[in-house]
Amino acid sequence: ILFSCNDIYKSAFARIYLGTNVTVRGRTVYYSDGGSHEVHSQLPSWLSFMSGSTSGITASALTYPLDVARTRLSGQLKTKDSGGLIRTLMKMGRTEGPRAYFKGIGPTLLGALPYEGIKFLCF
């Protein structure tokens, strides 16, 4: 999820920054200068940081409900009631509502923002 989102966001930010005819491969961007030939250059560092941060937030938000359920399962004793990941997710939604899946997500997103941004900046 993380690397796919990074590629999507990197292309989107490059299109906003450089124009519509942009192809991004790694940290190299290929774009048309209005003529018939392509120009290629390195992506600006801030663009790599932004796409990495945004993809980290997206990946964390998409997988966070699984982390919450895993944490709840690890705190339970082996009983008849603990039926695994799917049953835990269903029980959470039924008893606590959909907001239960994202309890405590704020600090996780605040941590993912600089971590993933710096990781993709250096990558």
Side-chain angles (χ1 to χ4, degrees):
I1 293 174
L2 181 66
F3 288 101
S4 299
C5 289
N6 185 51
D7 293 341
I8 292 167
Y9 291 131
K10 192 181 292 184
S11 295
F13 289 142
R15 283 190 186 101
I16 291 169
Y17 180 66
L18 296 171
T20 56
N21 298 326
V22 175
T23 304
V24 178
R25 291 189 192 120
R27 289 199 65 178
T28 306
V29 62
Y30 300 90
Y31 60 95
S32 174
D33 64 350
S36 61
H37 61 285
E38 284 189 343
V39 177
H40 61 87
S41 64
Q42 291 287 77
L43 285 173
S45 297
W46 66 268
L47 200 138
S48 294
F49 180 82
M50 289 292 294
S51 64
S53 295
T54 310
S55 62
I57 287 173
T58 303
S60 294
L62 290 175
T63 59
Y64 196 76
L66 299 173
D67 288 336
V68 171
R70 180 179 50 107
T71 302
R72 289 187 182 203
L73 281 172
S74 68
Q76 291 179 353
L77 297 174
K78 186 69 176 169
T79 63
K80 206 177 214 185
D81 192 34
S82 66
L85 184 68
I86 301 297
R87 184 173 281 169
T88 301
L89 287 168
M90 289 173 53
K91 184 178 177 184
M92 283 172 51
R94 212 175 24 250
T95 58
E96 300 173 53
R99 293 185 70 178
Y101 298 129
F102 298 99
K103 281 185 181 176
I105 196 169
T108 300
L109 295 181
L110 286 175
L113 185 110
Y115 176 76
E116 298 299 339
I118 292 170
K119 184 169 79 173
F120 280 100
L121 175 68
C122 298
F123 176 61

